[in-house]
């Protein structure tokens, strides 16, 4: 497997992790019974603190995967 494929796999994995974490956090925020409705502060709380921070952890892993993909892609271009 060459570096082009590795960079593509890392980029796709990172994008999926980021999108999945945001979608799951939005769904979890929508399921809250809060008087006045759930808005941005509720989303931020759910994203970072609900279920021991699993949504933010998924997003950070996705960001790390995207950064690794960019590094692999740039190193491929230098050679």
């Amino acid at each position: 497997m060459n570096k082009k494929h590795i960079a593509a796999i890392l980029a796709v994995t990172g994008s999926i992790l980021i999108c999945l974490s945001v979608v799951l956090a939005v769904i979890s925020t929508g399921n809250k019974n809060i008087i006045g409705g759930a808005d941005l502060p509720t989303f931020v709380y759910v994203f970072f603190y609900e279920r021991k921070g699993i949504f933010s952890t998924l997003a950070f892993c996705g960001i790390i995967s995207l950064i690794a993909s960019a590094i692999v892609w740039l190193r491929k271009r230098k050679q």
Side-chain angles (χ1 to χ4, degrees), residues 11-29:
V12 169
T13 302
S15 300
I16 288 172
L17 285 175
I18 291 172
C19 292
L20 181 68
S21 68
V22 170
V23 168
L24 290 176
V26 166
I27 291 170
S28 183
T29 302

Side-chain angles (χ1 to χ4, degrees), residues 46-62:
V46 168
F47 189 76
F48 286 107
Y49 300 110
E50 178 122 346
R51 297 186 183 161
K52 299 180 182 177
I54 190 69
F55 303 128
S56 61
T57 304
L58 281 174
F60 293 143
C61 289

